Amino acid sequence: MTDTLLPAAPQPLEKEGNCYFRKGCNPLAQTGRSKLQNQRAALNQQILKAMRMRTGAENLLKAATNQKVREQVRLELSFLNSDLQMLKEELEGLNISVGVYQNTEEAFTIPLIPLGLKETKDVDFSVALKDFILEHYSEDSYLYEDEIADLMDLRQACRTPSRNEAGVELLMSYFMQLGFVESRFFPPTRQMGILFTWYDSLTGVPVSQQNLLLEKASILFNIGALYTQIGTRCNRQTEAGLESTVDAFQRAAGVLNYLKETFTHTPSYDMSPAMLSVLVKMMLAQAQESTFEKVCLPGLQNEFFLLVKVAQEAAKVGEVYRQLHTAMNQEPVKENIPYSWASLACVKAHHYEALAHYFTATLLIDHQLKPGEDEDHQEKCLSQLYSHMPEGLTPLATLKNVHQRQLLGKSHLCQAVTHHEESMREASLCKKLRDIDVLQEVLSAAHDRSQLKYTQLREDDDLLNLTDAPDIVSKTEREVEIIVPQFSKVTVTDFFQKLGPLSVFSANKRWTAPRSIHFTAEEGDLGFTLRGNSPVQVHFLDPYCSAAAAGTKEGDYIVSIQDVDCKWLTLSEVMKMLKSFGQDDIEMKVVSLLDATSTMHSKCATYSVGMQKTYSMICLGIDVDDKTDKTKKVSKKLSFLSWGTNKNRQKSASTLCLPSVGVTMPPVKKKLSSPFSLLNTDSSLY
């Protein structure tokens, strides 16, 4: 329904074979979801403008002393607050537009809640990265224009990921690429001057920060959001579709939980630990709901043991939604959770509790224990259905006594009707839920079914004889769990691997500018030995050899020989190259490692409209790097493949073909700084 709209550009441009779009991205496809995201982006801008105007009015009110001016400013503030409230309600309406994300097949099922993608502004990496390459690595920055363009193009593609596994892989590849970029260009003691701006997914409030960790956290949030959109898109009328739905929501919960545990100082409301905890609960609740639908998919037969199983599965779904609704109404998330989400959680809690009572009533009323049946098994199932039996009743006596079964069954039917009515009442109180036709139809049909069955059995003295139905024990054969994100399955190639192995050539280490060494091997003796691999270091240098006289020092890294780049060559390859010159003059370029920069993080102030200034997530940088260092291994260089022939670097909004995947480069190993580093006059430059 929403993904069948015509694209805005000719169809051939959408084909991956033409190398115009990156795999997993198609910004020209005008689906209902992309239109919704465009509306979210426009609303974010309007909210930002309104908040700036409100801030200005508040400042004027503080500064003004004239009473008439103050009264006029107060009037303007009331109008601005009203406009801002209307804009936020409109944004909430987009957040609950579940119909846009649902499967295109007609389905008589309650809609699931997806998350919208976080919006961002364009970021220009070129100036800052070029300056850093020239200053820090002493290399010609123009040699890296293509790599910088690829990075910016990949980021642009991540703003419009396709709603499938290819889109998830695209976002994950950019997230991993950011790890390389952080190690290459973002020293912990210096700001790069690149401002990242992301809009809150729930409130529209922008957050701006000169910290790459905000970018990484936002991409992680979008990975989780994309999984929720994949889950809602699956066909829930098939077993495979329901299995995919469960898997997608479990993976979404895993990504959001990883975000909560890794980035605990995020300044955005939607990525705060409290909000992420609620979102994780919501994803798991929807996965549990899909598990219940999978049990009911083949059709429910009026059979005792099957009805016991289905009743407990429904009670489990009702329980998790009840817990979710309670969490949504706790501070501080209560103010930022869309009202329609909390209302839908309450509706589903009552709906599935009503189903549990209905199925229990059916197994009690329609199934009388007959001679020859397994009464021990039925007695055990009935005893496990309740935490405790009603007063004066025992499982076996209830099974054998028709009158007791009828009374207990009608009590459950009354409870079912009560919960159905409560779910319909909650849905009617929320304007957004009233507009979802399929939700109203499902709730109404379930209520009518329970009401009809009770009407057929109702007697005049029911009000006197019926007691409160006992609670049903929630139980499931498949407890949904968080699936931890597996980033290792997505391998990417470091765009800037030409700078050298990441274990040495990183933002945390400083070197001298490359020095040219001219020397000759005397009688086949170089005058030094080598050690290490990629890059190779000078070791055991003879102080009287020609290489030492030309300026070589022990510990120097060899970066080139006769203008051949040696950063990625192994020790044997470098030795073979040096010996191949014989008695001829050899030109070798080397760099020396200076004092290691301090590992202490500088304070990074965050500016967020409508929020207090706070220190950002940068305090977690060391912990995150230390964890990744243990898992990554040093690997040899692999060449880029299939770059594509016609790259149009002028189109900032284009999404050109991805380089093929390669081998991940090793991370930077941190070293403690020297206590004498502050005495170096050049240290302030890095």
Side-chain angles (χ1 to χ4, degrees), residues 574-644:
V574 173
M575 285 297 298
K576 182 178 180 181
M577 182 181 296
L578 289 173
K579 291 182 178 180
S580 66
F581 294 101
Q583 301 294 327
D584 297 337
D585 182 68
I586 303 174
E587 180 185 3
M588 180 175 68
K589 288 186 178 180
V590 298
V591 294
S592 300
L593 185 66
L594 297 177
D595 58 303
T597 57
S598 174
T599 57
M600 292 295 293
H601 286 292
S602 63
K603 294 180 179 178
C604 175
T606 302
Y607 174 69
S608 174
V609 178
M611 298 176 64
Q612 295 180 351
K613 291 184 179 179
T614 177
Y615 291 118
S616 67
M617 305 172 291
I618 198 168
C619 60
L620 296 178
I622 299 179
D623 296 336
V624 175
D625 290 340
D626 290 342
K627 292 178 181 177
T628 55
D629 285 347
K630 299 177 182 179
T631 58
K632 298 184 180 179
K633 298 181 180 179
V634 178
S635 55
K636 298 180 181 179
K637 170 186 175 184
L638 293 182
S639 62
F640 283 109
L641 304 175
S642 304
W643 273 84

Side-chain angles (χ1 to χ4, degrees), residues 426-439:
E426 286 287 344
S428 66
L429 293 177
C430 179
K431 182 180 181 300
K432 306 301 180 184
L433 298 185
R434 288 200 302 267
D435 295 337
I436 304 177
D437 295 334
V438 66
L439 175 63

Side-chain angles (χ1 to χ4, degrees), residues 410-598:
K410 284 192 288 185
S411 298
H412 281 290
L413 282 176
C414 287
Q415 196 74 3
V417 171
T418 301
H419 279 296
H420 280 310
E421 291 175 348
E422 188 64 22
S423 67
M424 295 174 66
R425 187 186 71 84
E426 286 287 344
S428 66
L429 293 177
C430 179
K431 182 180 181 300
K432 306 301 180 184
L433 298 185
R434 288 200 302 267
D435 295 337
I436 304 177
D437 295 334
V438 66
L439 175 63
Q440 301 296 329
E441 293 173 3
V442 171
L443 298 180
S444 178
H447 173 264
D448 293 343
R449 180 178 59 183
S450 298
Q451 184 69 52
L452 177 62
K453 193 172 187 65
Y454 176 69
T455 302
Q456 294 172 349
L457 301 170
R458 184 171 56 189
E459 297 177 0
D460 294 337
D461 60 347
D462 280 350
L463 293 178
L464 299 175
N465 296 330
L466 295 182
T467 59
D468 292 337
D471 293 334
I472 300 166
V473 175
S474 62
K475 183 180 179 181
T476 179
E477 291 186 352
R478 177 180 178 182
E479 189 83 33
V480 295
E481 297 177 349
I482 289 174
I483 297 181
V484 179
Q486 298 175 334
F487 298 107
S488 59
K489 289 189 175 181
V490 181
T491 56
V492 297
T493 302
D494 180 9
F495 284 160
F496 300 93
Q497 64 174 350
K498 288 194 302 184
L499 290 172
L502 192 56
S503 59
V504 176
F505 298 98
S506 68
N508 290 342
K509 296 183 179 180
R510 300 169 53 239
W511 310 266
T512 61
R515 309 190 310 275
S516 293
I517 306 296
H518 294 268
F519 70 100
T520 57
E522 301 173 359
E523 299 180 358
D525 184 11
L526 296 173
F528 56 85
T529 60
L530 302 177
R531 69 176 179 181
N533 257 343
S534 305
V536 173
Q537 277 185 290
V538 175
H539 191 49
F540 290 133
L541 176 68
D542 183 356
Y544 300 104
C545 68
S546 61
T552 306
K553 302 177 182 178
E554 286 192 7
D556 283 350
Y557 289 98
I558 300 176
V559 295
S560 70
I561 299 175
Q562 301 291 101
D563 293 328
V564 177
D565 194 308
C566 298
K567 298 190 192 80
W568 285 97
L569 297 185
T570 63
L571 187 147
S572 58
E573 290 171 335
V574 173
M575 285 297 298
K576 182 178 180 181
M577 182 181 296
L578 289 173
K579 291 182 178 180
S580 66
F581 294 101
Q583 301 294 327
D584 297 337
D585 182 68
I586 303 174
E587 180 185 3
M588 180 175 68
K589 288 186 178 180
V590 298
V591 294
S592 300
L593 185 66
L594 297 177
D595 58 303
T597 57
S598 174

Side-chain angles (χ1 to χ4, degrees), residues 22-43:
R22 288 182 180 272
K23 182 180 178 182
C25 169
N26 187 354
L28 301 183
Q30 289 189 352
T31 63
R33 184 189 64 144
S34 63
K35 289 182 177 180
L36 189 63
Q37 288 294 134
N38 291 335
Q39 294 176 27
R40 289 168 59 88
L43 274 177

Side-chain angles (χ1 to χ4, degrees), residues 10 137 159 175 303 308 586:
Y137 293 100
R159 299 177 68 174
F175 176 76
E303 193 269 328
V308 171
I586 303 174

